[in-house]
Amino acid sequence: MTDFKKSVVYQIYPKSFCDSNHDGLGDLQGVIGKLDYIKELGVDYIWMTPFFVSPQNDNGYDVEDYYHIDPRYGTMEDFERLVHEADQRGIRLMLDMVFNHTSSRHEWFRKALAGDEKYKKYYIFKKGKEQGKAPTNWESKFGGSAWEYVPGMDEYYLHLFDVSQPDLNWDNEEVRLELQKVIRFWMEKGVKGFRFDVVNLVSKGEFADDEEGDGRKFYTDGPNIHRYLKELNAQSFGKDAEIVTVGEMSSTSLENCFQYAGEDSGELSMVFSFHHLKVDFMGNEKWVLVPADFMKLKKILFDWQAGMEKHNAWNAVFWCNHDQPRVVSRFGREGKYWKESAKMLATVIHGMRGTPYIYQGEEIGMTNAGFHDISQYRDVESLNHFRILQEKGLTQEDAYRILQVHSRDNGRTPMQWNADKNGGFTDGGPWIEVNGNYKDINAAQQMGDEDSIFRYYQKLVSLRKEYDIIAYGSFQALDERNPSVLAYMREYEGQKLVVVCNFYEKERNWKCPVGLWGYRCLLGNYKDRKMEVGEEATLRPYEAMILYKER
Ligand code: GLC
């Protein structure tokens, strides 16, 4: 049995991974063709973002049919082959369950709109407050009101995301039974893991105006959430002890995560939280330009590491996914220190307590898209906010500057496989432009270079398997007030591990608060680092080290 505490997960966004049939969209056969590459990295699981039938308004997070593969991605036979081929390589599949909402094209919603009372209760329909006013002032996470008026009904339906993503009503038991069925269906196909999309938003509380915010306090970590997750667990994936689950927790609290991912709480194996990825926001406002706050980043990471450990709960640890800009562009340094900073950031995550997730392309240091024209963008959230920012009075140029930093499309440009046309992603016309730097940054080049970012990730993955301390050790923050160094210690059965990372270009003398005598360097991002380090170390630009002492 694979122990998820020793595992590493690789995330695939199939649309942008590899196209096997020349239509410019990635597909399941494309993934099959790259399994050897993924195996080479050494990971245990592949998390695939949704490939179910969908109108693709939100790239598959708008599901029209949970039981069928969208023909654009392939067939059920392709999927079964993928499970089999992955299994042959010791890799398990984790699927993405989008259960907070469906697509407005889902049969349930169509029936609801046609007036079928049973299916109306699958969703959240409410009367408006007064003529022309929505039931509450809640905002959609993609911009605008979270309510859409249906003239024929004289009612509104709730959509926390796009208007084409109506929220399901989890307070209706029939809905919960339907969703359990979906999980059991995929379990029978041999799926060994599930990621639950924005799952802490499914239990809605009071429907009231939010005087201070956008409404999230009424539905985030809502009143029945723990009960619903325990039920889902007991009725579906909990029946197979080998299944690993991760919940995507939007704007959650540490206290709730103790329960979501507590060892004995019977909910989920682990959680994604996002507070550390808001250190370049203004509060919850993403569409602004604010420099990343390093001290805040450290504090959040450390609080979650220590807090979850104290309560015997488990984190998913990560920088990147399909909703985030590329980390090397965000907290690292493109250009001169591209390689050093990408490796340094990887070290931070892979030395931590939790299950690391690597998002496609992160392992080769892919960078932000650099799009400068709205016609290059595809993401519904980015397109909405480009308009909203200008409605608020920003110039087009300022709106572009913000999109270039925060757009989700930064993480969605095609995987850069080699120096051929379109980076080897497709020989058709790619659905979204390939990053112009694919000739310099690509997997083929890095596979052939022992010093590459890819090879470094590979070492990090294998260290977790080799050293129990990385998987099971306790966590302790070091030198918390240091304004440029992030450091921590792990301990396990008398062994000690120190991870130290210089987040900046400036060289630093670093004195480890616990002393470094007797430690040896297991891995570092500068080749010439001597194995023995003394009490003090000079950290070069973006230098990172993992130091280890047996007893
Ligand atoms: C999650 C997904 C994101 C999607 C949203 C709505 O945050 O990761 O891509 O747009 O949920 O389903």
Side-chain angles (χ1 to χ4, degrees):
M1 188 174 142
T2 319
D3 176 1
F4 67 82
K5 296 190 174 168
K6 257 193 172 293
S7 298
V8 178
V9 183
Y10 188 76
Q11 184 195 348
I12 292 184
Y13 197 65
K15 203 168 189 170
S16 299
F17 194 60
C18 182
D19 173 22
S20 74
N21 64 349
H22 330 290
D23 64 356
L25 297 173
D27 46 51
L28 298 182
Q29 286 289 353
V31 176
I32 295 172
K34 296 296 182 188
L35 283 173
D36 286 334
Y37 169 83
I38 298 168
K39 182 173 166 53
E40 178 85 10
L41 196 53
V43 301
D44 309 271
Y45 289 87
I46 294 174
W47 152 28
M48 301 264 291
T49 65
F51 45 73
F52 314 106
V53 175
S54 158
Q56 301 284 324
N57 282 348
D58 188 20
N59 285 343
Y61 282 92
D62 43 336
V63 181
E64 183 175 335
D65 178 350
Y66 292 105
Y67 296 99
H68 289 94
I69 313 271
D70 193 302
R72 280 171 278 207
Y73 291 116
T75 63
M76 192 57 90
E77 288 68 47
D78 294 337
F79 179 73
E80 284 162 0
R81 212 182 122 221
L82 172 59
V83 173
H84 175 75
E85 292 290 330
D87 189 59
Q88 298 277 301
R89 292 164 178 80
I91 299 170
R92 284 143 180 247
L93 244 18
M94 183 184 260
L95 295 199
D96 207 322
M97 298 286 114
V98 189
F99 285 169
N100 176 68
H101 43 266
T102 67
S103 159
S104 52
R105 296 236 306 249
H106 195 288
E107 195 191 351
W108 302 336
F109 194 70
R110 293 200 224 192
K111 286 187 175 163
L113 284 187
D116 185 329
E117 281 303 317
K118 172 179 156 83
Y119 290 101
K120 242 188 104 182
K121 292 194 198 114
Y122 273 40
Y123 295 89
I124 299 168
F125 284 91
K126 298 261 177 234
K127 286 273 175 232
K129 272 197 296 232
E130 57 215 44
Q131 211 58 47
K133 260 190 127 186
T136 70
N137 67 350
W138 301 359
E139 281 165 36
S140 149
K141 302 210 181 245
F142 290 166
S145 169
W147 295 97
E148 179 71 5
Y149 183 63
V150 187
M153 288 179 167
D154 192 28
E155 277 185 314
Y156 293 76
Y157 68 84
L158 180 70
H159 62 90
L160 295 182
F161 294 89
D162 189 51
V163 55
S164 65
Q165 294 167 298
D167 280 51
L168 283 165
N169 175 17
W170 275 59
D171 293 333
N172 177 354
E173 195 191 0
E174 280 181 65
V175 168
R176 307 201 303 275
L177 292 174
E178 295 269 17
L179 301 176
Q180 293 161 15
K181 233 170 68 189
V182 174
I183 297 175
R184 288 195 297 264
F185 173 85
W186 291 106
M187 280 168 69
E188 274 166 29
K189 295 268 174 218
V191 168
K192 288 292 180 198
F194 295 98
R195 178 242 188 208
F196 293 100
D197 191 58
V198 291
V199 74
N200 66 325
L201 308 185
V202 303
S203 169
K204 273 69 176 177
E206 199 192 340
F207 289 89
D209 276 345
D210 188 346
E211 305 305 341
E212 313 115 41
D214 58 7
R216 71 183 71 196
K217 69 174 184 197
F218 290 107
Y219 55 76
T220 303
D221 304 318
N224 294 311
I225 185 64
H226 296 290
R227 179 159 78 78
Y228 292 161
L229 285 176
K230 284 184 174 50
E231 179 190 76
L232 194 65
N233 176 320
Q235 298 304 325
S236 60
F237 56 83
K239 294 184 193 294
D240 178 348
E242 281 195 22
I243 286 191
V244 170
T245 52
V246 54
E248 187 202 23
M249 303 302 174
S250 168
S251 301
T252 191
S253 70
L254 193 43
E255 291 67 29
N256 273 291
C257 288
F258 300 157
Q259 286 192 61
Y260 293 139
E263 181 110 38
D264 305 313
S265 42
E267 296 185 19
L268 303 169
S269 314
M270 62 187 120
V271 282
F272 288 119
S273 65
F274 295 90
H275 301 284
H276 67 297
L277 298 176
K278 294 186 180 180
V279 297
D280 51 2
F281 289 15
M282 202 182 281
N284 278 323
E285 183 49 49
K286 162 170 165 174
W287 302 97
V288 287
L289 286 182
V290 173
D293 182 338
F294 173 65
M295 296 311 276
K296 203 163 147 191
L297 176 71
K298 256 196 349 181
K299 182 166 174 9
I300 296 169
L301 288 172
F302 290 171
D303 286 352
W304 279 76
Q305 284 285 301
M308 292 290 271
E309 178 187 339
K310 190 160 164 226
H311 291 84
N312 229 347
W314 199 250
N315 280 309
V317 286
F318 70 105
W319 291 125
C320 296
N321 67 30
H322 62 291
D323 296 328
Q324 300 294 331
R326 293 286 180 179
V327 71
V328 67
S329 308
R330 190 176 193 178
F331 301 138
R333 181 76 176 273
E334 283 183 33
K336 186 161 174 213
Y337 293 108
W338 164 72
K339 194 193 271 190
E340 287 78 6
S341 64
K343 291 180 179 178
M344 180 277 287
L345 290 162
T347 313
V348 173
I349 290 296
H350 287 260
M352 280 185 167
R353 180 182 177 277
T355 301
Y357 284 66
I358 302 169
Y359 175 59
Q360 64 182 49
E362 177 187 339
E363 76 281 11
I364 56 167
M366 276 177 61
T367 61
N368 278 352
F371 291 159
H372 45 77
D373 192 275
I374 199 63
S375 66
Q376 297 172 292
Y377 286 91
R378 297 287 176 271
D379 170 30
V380 53
E381 183 197 37
S382 305
L383 298 175
N384 285 349
H385 282 281
F386 185 65
R387 179 179 41 78
I388 292 168
L389 286 170
Q390 291 177 75
E391 281 164 11
K392 284 187 184 157
L394 267 77
T395 63
Q396 206 174 70
E397 260 149 51
D398 285 339
Y400 276 130
R401 262 191 281 266
I402 295 176
L403 249 59
Q404 277 158 6
V405 169
H406 290 298
S407 170
R408 304 194 297 179
D409 282 334
N410 284 312
R412 297 176 178 184
T413 61
M415 178 69 187
Q416 294 164 206
W417 292 108
N418 53 45
D420 297 348
K421 188 164 175 249
N422 296 324
F425 161 69
T426 181
D427 49 17
W431 72 279
I432 185 169
E433 268 174 53
V434 179
N435 191 312
N437 61 18
Y438 69 88
K439 291 210 165 94
D440 300 317
I441 301 180
N442 65 65
Q445 186 276 326
Q446 295 198 25
M447 300 289 280
D449 171 6
E450 275 317 301
D451 185 42
S452 67
I453 299 171
F454 179 90
R455 294 291 172 203
Y456 193 84
Y457 267 86
Q458 193 183 35
K459 284 182 200 129
L460 286 169
V461 174
S462 74
L463 282 182
R464 179 165 296 258
K465 313 233 170 282
E466 201 178 323
Y467 291 87
D468 281 347
I469 187 171
I470 300 184
Y472 308 118
S474 65
F475 177 91
Q476 194 197 317
L478 292 178
D479 202 3
E480 281 162 89
R481 296 230 289 275
N482 191 311
S484 53
V485 174
L486 185 152
Y488 55 84
M489 186 165 80
R490 312 284 311 274
E491 279 186 86
Y492 186 68
E493 297 184 340
Q495 307 152 47
K496 288 186 171 151
L497 188 107
V498 168
V499 175
V500 53
C501 299
N502 181 5
F503 255 75
Y504 292 90
E505 181 178 344
K506 198 165 179 286
E507 256 189 32
R508 290 274 156 185
N509 242 350
W510 189 66
K511 191 166 183 310
C512 179
V514 292
L516 286 178
W517 295 111
Y519 280 83
R520 65 191 167 90
C521 182
L522 289 185
L523 184 64
N525 60 351
Y526 277 80
K527 269 190 296 194
D528 59 350
R529 174 58 75 181
K530 284 202 278 330
M531 290 304 269
E532 297 289 337
V533 277
E535 195 175 351
E536 271 193 46
T538 304
L539 299 175
R540 285 164 287 182
Y542 298 97
E543 183 160 12
M545 283 185 277
I546 301 183
L547 307 164
Y548 176 69
K549 182 156 99 170
E550 202 98 43
R551 297 244 162 240

